[in-house]
Amino acid sequence: MRKVDGAVVLGRVVNVPYGGAMADEAEMDVTEYEHTPQQGVPGFFGTFLPKTNAQFNRSVAGSSKFVRHRHVARKDIIVCNVQTETPKSEDLHVHLESLRALAVALPSAFGMPHPIPESHIAEMRGNSGAAGQGSASVGRGRGRGGAASGS
């Protein structure tokens, strides 16, 4: 998703509006993920964890443990149905197909590295244990699952 400051971040849609997220005027809530880049590789290669909310307070109604962006406009969701995996830890990484969709949407900022990093080679061979199903898409999507945003 694209944040108000223009930064692109990985996010997970946590509240889809009644009627779905297909409409251009749809707004949704998105939990932001923090990126730890893979050394020597540009873009969203690396790992992700939900971004901790420093203002979280259990005693305050509506307080969230993780950073949540409310009322994110559909136009700010860059890639829909982002597939993620948890290969050897609890940290997520973005599936190669979703990284390619982001590279199509924002080629100057998130172009694909050559060669593809070793961390994603198994996905190219079809040996992936992807947690997400379906495929990433640029532009319109159902708004469920992950959303690359300007997390």
Side-chain angles (χ1 to χ4, degrees):
M1 85 174 197
R2 187 177 314 280
K3 293 178 13 177
V4 174
D5 66 4
V8 174
V9 297
L10 178 69
R12 182 172 307 256
V13 174
V14 292
N15 185 18
V16 177
Y18 180 75
M22 292 295 289
D24 289 337
E25 66 276 0
E27 291 184 344
M28 53 215 82
D29 294 347
V30 177
T31 298
E32 181 175 341
Y33 278 67
E34 199 162 26
H35 180 217
T36 301
Q38 185 171 335
Q39 188 174 359
V41 182
F44 271 7
F45 288 86
T47 58
F48 295 84
L49 287 171
K51 185 173 183 177
T52 303
N53 180 1
Q55 280 75 46
F56 172 62
N57 183 342
R58 274 187 212 279
S59 63
V60 175
S63 184
S64 177
K65 183 175 180 179
F66 304 112
V67 173
R68 183 173 289 181
H69 301 275
R70 306 221 184 258
H71 309 290
V72 174
R74 175 65 190 88
K75 67 178 179 57
D76 292 322
I77 304 298
I78 299 166
V79 177
C80 299
N81 303 320
V82 171
Q83 296 178 53
T84 58
E85 297 186 358
T86 53
K88 294 181 183 176
S89 68
E90 294 182 18
D91 297 355
L92 295 176
H93 85 250
V94 176
H95 193 277
L96 188 59
E97 183 176 342
S98 296
L99 292 167
R100 284 186 176 132
L102 182 59
V104 168
L106 299 172
S108 62
F110 292 96
M112 293 297 288
H114 184 75
I116 298 299
E118 192 64 37
S119 60
H120 287 70
I121 293 295
E123 295 173 29
M124 290 176 55
R125 296 182 187 125
N127 298 330
S128 173
Q133 298 297 319
S135 61
S137 58
V138 175
R140 295 185 175 275
R142 285 179 252 149
R144 300 296 300 187
S149 56
S151 69

